[in-house]
Amino acid sequence: MEEKEKKKKKFKFWRIARSIALLLIVVLTLGVVGNMLVTKYEQKKYPAWGQLVEVSGKKMHVYTKGETGNTIVLLSGLGTAAPVLDFEPLMNELAQNNKVVVVEPFGSGWSEQTSKQRTVENIVEEWRTALQKANVKGPYILMPHSISGIYSMYYANKYPSEVKAVIGIDPTLPQAMEYFKESVPAMPKYLSMAAPTGLARLATYVSPKNVLPISADGTYSDENLKLTKILTAWNAYNKNVVNEASEINNNIKKTKNLSFPSSLPVMIFTTKPDKVNEEGKSNITFYENQLKNVASNKLVVLEGHHYLHWTHSKKISEEVNEFLAAYSGN
């Protein structure tokens, strides 16, 4: 009799567990389907601001503002969900004296995703193809933020005639890991499910501050912030972002022996160091070391965080115009 009771309880437990599992599957399925339908609706309602050009069989978004002066190409950091929106205040400032272009990499903004590996070679070739197909002529002022510093270093060495200057916004450069004796942080592959499952969309509602720029009120318009949340729901931690993170070590190995050409004007914006290691090394000493063999260079240190363009767009624009007027023949 006791044995029979045990079997009944065990059967009841597994029946409840199965019901819970089925419920979770139904909820997840509804979430995925619902998110997919909402995303398709949003993509029709909020079309790309600029040109969609075909690169390697996929659509890449290129947005341009301003007509005269230097052609400045703004290049986003890893995981920036909507580069055009992210750079908008800086673009508005720079476009008063320059032609400003944002190339949104695959997996970000209004660009599609790609199955091609996020190698430095592929990324740079995609930039070049997108610019050419959008009829944006060089030579360019490359203005990379964060991880795009590595790709810009490669671009400047591979195609020197196409690059007029490099202006980095706290750029990651190939020698940084070795200089600080640090390793590249990993990004788990399961994060690539955040957008398709609807979890990224949920995060924009539950914790919008984590996906929006940290800036003073009025820096970004209400329309911009609304679209930033929407495009984050489309793009957060997608397969291209995760793959790019996994390729960082390989991309560093391919570029760590490169340096800025001595004749290339280079300016870098960075933050005041929050720490100096026991060897006296900081982000400032690192960038000074990178610039020491560059004839025309400038290092600008600003208060703030890694996304300096969120809080210093006007100051950055002023410094850029002054630097280019002095060193690039304008």
Side-chain angles (χ1 to χ4, degrees):
M1 195 73 177
E2 189 176 333
E3 187 67 27
K4 197 172 182 180
E5 278 298 314
K6 284 183 179 179
K7 285 183 178 180
K8 285 178 72 175
K9 285 182 179 179
K10 188 176 181 181
F11 176 74
K12 186 177 181 181
F13 169 80
W14 285 115
R15 189 172 60 184
I16 293 171
R18 186 182 64 181
S19 297
I20 292 172
L22 287 171
L23 179 62
L24 289 174
I25 291 170
V26 170
V27 170
L28 181 61
T29 302
L30 289 173
V32 171
V33 173
N35 179 65
M36 182 177 65
L37 292 173
V38 172
T39 298
K40 284 188 175 181
Y41 167 77
E42 289 170 341
Q43 288 172 340
K44 287 183 179 179
K45 186 175 181 180
Y46 303 107
W49 286 9
Q51 299 181 67
L52 290 172
V53 297
E54 187 175 311
V55 179
S56 300
K58 297 290 182 178
K59 292 177 183 176
M60 183 173 273
H61 182 225
V62 181
Y63 181 75
T64 305
K65 188 164 191 174
E67 299 295 333
T68 59
N70 290 291
T71 300
I72 299 176
V73 182
L74 291 166
L75 302 162
S76 59
L78 176 66
T80 301
V84 167
L85 301 173
D86 185 73
F87 282 129
E88 188 179 21
L90 178 58
M91 197 171 4
N92 290 341
E93 293 290 341
L94 288 171
Q96 294 176 35
N97 302 96
N98 305 280
K99 182 175 184 178
V100 188
V101 187
V102 179
V103 179
E104 293 192 315
F106 285 131
S108 72
W110 280 277
S111 292
E112 293 182 335
Q113 293 180 30
T114 182
S115 59
K116 297 187 75 172
Q117 291 291 106
R118 298 298 78 211
T119 63
V120 62
E121 297 95 338
N122 286 344
I123 289 169
V124 169
E125 290 306 321
E126 288 160 3
W127 287 356
R128 294 180 70 240
T129 302
L131 288 166
Q132 290 163 11
K133 289 200 170 183
N135 200 31
V136 178
K137 301 188 186 321
Y140 312 114
I141 312 293
L142 299 182
M143 198 163 178
H145 172 238
S146 197
I147 197 67
S148 288
I150 290 175
Y151 314 139
S152 295
M153 177 79 82
Y154 177 86
Y155 197 140
N157 280 273
K158 179 81 172 176
Y159 303 104
S161 64
E162 297 179 16
V163 181
K164 192 174 183 180
V166 172
I167 300 174
I169 304 173
D170 214 26
T172 302
L173 297 177
Q175 300 79 14
M177 299 300 111
E178 188 174 295
Y179 183 82
F180 292 108
K181 297 177 182 175
E182 295 176 348
S183 56
V184 176
M187 185 179 286
K189 287 187 177 181
Y190 64 76
L191 284 177
S192 63
M193 298 304 296
T197 58
L199 289 175
R201 185 178 297 281
L202 180 63
T204 67
Y205 292 110
V206 174
S207 187
K209 287 185 178 180
N210 289 331
V211 302
L212 295 176
I214 303 168
S215 59
D217 290 346
T219 303
Y220 289 85
S221 68
D222 290 341
E223 179 69 10
N224 179 299
L225 297 176
K226 180 182 79 172
L227 282 173
T228 295
K229 288 191 285 186
I230 289 171
L231 269 70
T232 297
W234 301 353
N235 296 322
Y237 299 108
N238 61 63
K239 66 178 184 179
N240 288 161
V241 176
V242 173
N243 182 248
E244 185 178 355
S246 71
E247 283 289 334
I248 292 176
N249 265 325
N250 289 333
N251 289 334
I252 286 174
K253 288 176 184 176
K254 294 171 186 175
T255 55
K256 69 178 183 178
N257 293 324
L258 299 179
S259 59
F260 290 117
S262 60
S263 60
L264 181 73
V266 179
M267 179 162 69
I268 292 175
F269 293 93
T270 191
T271 60
K272 286 190 175 180
D274 55 1
K275 64 178 180 178
V276 177
N277 71 13
E278 56 189 22
E279 297 176 355
K281 294 179 177 179
S282 70
N283 55 311
I284 292 178
T285 63
F286 171 68
Y287 288 131
E288 287 174 340
N289 188 57
Q290 292 288 307
L291 294 172
K292 67 183 180 182
N293 294 319
V294 177
S296 301
N297 72 80
K298 187 173 184 180
L299 179 62
V300 181
V301 182
L302 300 173
E303 291 274 6
H305 48 73
H306 183 51
Y307 285 75
L308 286 167
H309 53 283
W310 287 354
T311 51
H312 292 290
S313 56
K314 189 172 182 62
K315 175 65 173 174
I316 290 173
S317 178
E318 290 171 354
E319 291 281 357
V320 167
N321 289 330
E322 183 182 317
F323 180 77
L324 294 179
Y327 295 120
S328 61
N330 291 321

